[in-house]
Amino acid sequence: MTAMLKTDAPGDGGKLDYDPLDPVVKHEPYPYYVELRDSEPVKWLPGLQAWAVARYDDIDMLLKDGRTYSSGQFWPALLGEYDPVPEEPPLISMDPPGHMQLRRIANKAFVPSKVNGLRDRTYEIANLLIDDIIAKHGNEGEFDFCWEFTALYPVTVVAEVLGVPTERRAEFKYWVDDVLSAANRAAYGPERLAKIDESAKKMRAFFEDLYDQRAANLGEDLLSTFITTEVDGQTLTRNQVLSMACLLLIGGVETTTNLLGTTLVELHRHRDVFDRVLADHALIPPLLEEVLRYNPPVQIIFRHTTAEVEIAGVKIAKGDAIMPILASANRDESKFENPEVFDIDRKIEVPLMSFGQGPHFCLGNYLSRMEAKSALEVVFSRFSLIEPISEDVHWLDSYFARGPHVLPVRYKVR
Ligand code: HEM
């Protein structure tokens, strides 16, 4: 195990005391990642009882080796006792051979031909949300970009994929935020933990009801597909379907919501880029790729070793927890030129780590890029002005998920 070093403030040249649970680190983790890559690329984190891994090549290697670096503990490590469906591991927390079988079923919903079929709906959903904002706040003024737009948009898209009625979509965002914040449970008191527990139970109860409705009255939606599809001659159990639905909600909502929120934050910080993108919407895809690289929605994921291993010269015991820092890999100096610079014109030579790598590579990567592109096209077409009111960003209280928690903006309709 590497020695723990007490350290000073970021930027003083000394070693940083990287603790993902520390609010200072959660607010601005990137200086810590620089330090980790440089001097402690594999570091023991006592607060989380896990090894942080910070360099691109090490992360790439371990994510592609699903046998030695198991995903089996991903969900339990992330959510602990706040997993809405603890009886059944979700896809993201499964190992071979079960993982591949289930992934083949889930993949049906995410192939490009299916996703492209949703494109027109994404434009409609984004336009309807903006109609609501204008109806509520007028042709110019202020609104919360997170709570009134980015939180509602992906949830509506995922709800349509799953066949969920959209009336309760705003509640979803609360549940997902709460359940994901269980990653910080070690730092929370009883009141906050009770709130997380309540949200996990509400999410489960919602999908239990929906399952029963769909089982009695099958439709064309994904939930109905999960209920009826057979794997090796057997249909999925109720809990397996519930687990998949919760994963898609958690995986598909918060991430894309955060990508859109962070994009506006970065545009505000890089005014020259903002002006170029407003004038030329063809720059939206490279803009999104750079936001995904520079400030990705998923900062860290989880694995466990199934054998003793050595990474970057550090011996790690069988059964230890590993936390590959995807956001650090995306700024690895050996892979990206001037990685700390936000540059939408950069030539990206290696795959970004933002959606993971290997057997668990994000199933929603194509959908979320398509969704985010449609949303930004609509936002920039409908508003002549949309800018965050403050320079300060209130980031989510999470070391795992990254995005603004709230984002008040000033706007003017075209
Ligand atoms: C910007 C948006 C997104 C980001 C950054 C993101 C990130 C990730 C990452 C890093 C993984 C890999 C986890 C691992 O290796 O352990 C993953 C897996 C996954 N994502 Fe996403 N995701 C996004 C959007 C979505 C959407 C929209 C959906 C679906 C509606 C989705 C569904 C999934 C699923 C089902 C998996 C598990 C795949 C498996 O285990 O085989 N994601 N995502």
Side-chain angles (χ1 to χ4, degrees):
M1 186 184 300
T2 37
M4 297 305 302
L5 286 156
K6 181 70 199 128
T7 61
D8 301 306
D12 69 349
K15 275 203 170 183
L16 299 175
D17 198 2
Y18 173 67
D19 172 6
L21 297 171
D22 179 343
V24 176
V25 178
K26 276 188 268 183
H27 184 71
E28 187 53 42
Y30 295 101
Y32 294 86
Y33 299 161
V34 175
E35 188 75 26
L36 286 175
R37 284 193 305 276
D38 183 49
S39 48
E40 227 181 338
V42 177
K43 180 182 172 67
W44 177 248
L45 305 172
L48 288 159
Q49 292 289 296
W51 297 93
V53 178
R55 286 186 186 153
Y56 187 101
D57 282 339
D58 294 331
I59 293 175
D60 191 52
M61 172 281 295
L62 76 87
L63 291 184
K64 286 177 176 162
D65 180 358
R67 297 207 177 267
T68 314
Y69 299 93
S70 158
S71 289
Q73 295 298 311
F74 186 127
W75 226 229
L78 183 71
L79 304 182
E81 62 270 45
Y82 304 99
D83 180 352
V85 193
E87 303 90 332
E88 215 35 79
L91 187 68
I92 206 166
S93 205
M94 288 174 75
D95 287 327
H99 169 256
M100 226 32 224
Q101 290 170 337
L102 201 56
R103 188 171 160 111
R104 274 204 301 274
I105 299 177
N107 194 38
K108 288 183 179 183
F110 298 103
V111 289
S113 56
K114 269 261 184 201
V115 172
N116 288 333
L118 288 168
R119 195 182 300 271
D120 288 348
R121 245 334 253 157
T122 59
Y123 287 115
E124 278 168 28
I125 293 167
N127 271 307
L128 285 170
L129 288 171
I130 292 177
D131 290 345
D132 285 351
I133 290 166
I134 296 170
K136 187 167 167 201
H137 301 283
N139 282 342
E140 61 183 295
E142 293 174 6
F143 71 94
D144 190 323
F145 189 64
C146 282
W147 288 88
E148 294 180 70
F149 186 74
T150 67
L152 302 180
Y153 170 74
V155 88
T156 310
V157 177
V158 173
E160 296 216 353
V161 173
L162 277 170
V164 168
T166 52
E167 303 89 70
R168 296 176 66 186
R169 62 193 180 186
E171 276 174 83
F172 282 15
K173 166 78 176 145
Y174 283 102
W175 301 340
V176 175
D177 270 7
D178 274 344
V179 171
L180 276 177
S181 74
N184 296 320
R185 61 196 176 280
Y188 290 149
E191 211 171 299
R192 181 84 188 91
L193 293 175
K195 178 84 183 28
I196 295 174
D197 191 43
E198 190 189 324
S199 286
K201 291 199 167 103
K202 282 187 175 163
M203 186 187 289
R204 183 192 176 110
F206 176 83
F207 280 118
E208 280 177 340
D209 281 355
L210 195 69
Y211 179 98
D212 295 340
Q213 285 170 30
R214 288 288 175 276
N217 194 4
L218 292 168
E220 293 293 305
D221 54 88
L222 191 60
L223 210 63
S224 300
T225 307
F226 290 151
I227 293 171
T228 49
T229 305
E230 290 190 6
V231 188
D232 294 339
Q234 287 204 309
T235 49
L236 299 179
T237 63
R238 188 170 185 259
N239 281 342
Q240 280 177 315
V241 175
L242 294 178
S243 168
M244 185 69 102
C246 289
L247 172 64
L248 293 182
L249 185 62
I250 294 172
V253 169
E254 179 86 7
T255 44
T256 312
T257 293
N258 290 336
L259 173 60
L260 287 169
T262 303
T263 299
L264 200 62
V265 169
E266 294 302 346
L267 285 174
H268 189 49
R269 288 174 169 174
H270 303 94
R271 196 62 235 189
D272 53 325
V273 177
F274 208 164
D275 292 340
R276 285 177 60 202
V277 176
L278 285 176
D280 180 4
H281 292 182
L283 293 175
I284 290 173
L287 164 70
L288 286 168
E289 291 310 295
E290 185 60 351
V291 176
L292 280 165
R293 184 194 72 82
Y294 187 79
N295 209 348
V298 178
Q299 296 271 304
I300 292 174
I301 53 180
F302 303 88
R303 295 291 187 268
H304 275 75
T305 54
T306 57
E308 187 185 292
V309 295
E310 191 173 311
I311 310 177
V314 177
K315 275 202 165 40
I316 298 179
K318 178 179 174 181
D320 273 7
I322 311 274
M323 294 183 15
I325 309 177
L326 306 179
S328 170
N330 279 349
R331 293 198 188 193
D332 190 317
E333 302 70 11
S334 71
K335 303 289 170 189
F336 301 94
E337 232 179 286
N338 298 322
E340 303 298 321
V341 175
F342 184 81
D343 175 10
I344 67 164
D345 301 314
R346 76 168 54 248
K347 246 180 97 57
I348 296 181
E349 315 262 355
V350 292
L352 298 179
M353 278 295 161
S354 318
F355 294 103
Q357 259 312 320
H360 288 275
F361 184 72
C362 175
L363 275 182
N365 78 91
Y366 188 79
L367 171 64
S368 59
R369 283 175 162 125
M370 185 277 275
E371 275 181 83
K373 175 174 171 287
S374 304
L376 292 180
E377 280 176 22
V378 171
V379 167
F380 298 151
S381 305
R382 303 275 313 262
F383 297 123
S384 60
L385 168 81
I386 175 149
E387 62 178 16
I389 289 166
S390 167
E391 304 294 320
D392 297 330
V393 183
H394 180 172
W395 294 104
L396 287 172
D397 181 19
S398 168
Y399 64 84
F400 160 79
R402 177 99 169 144
H405 178 58
V406 291
L407 194 61
V409 294
R410 224 179 325 251
Y411 76 97
K412 199 182 257 186
V413 170
R414 272 191 200 283

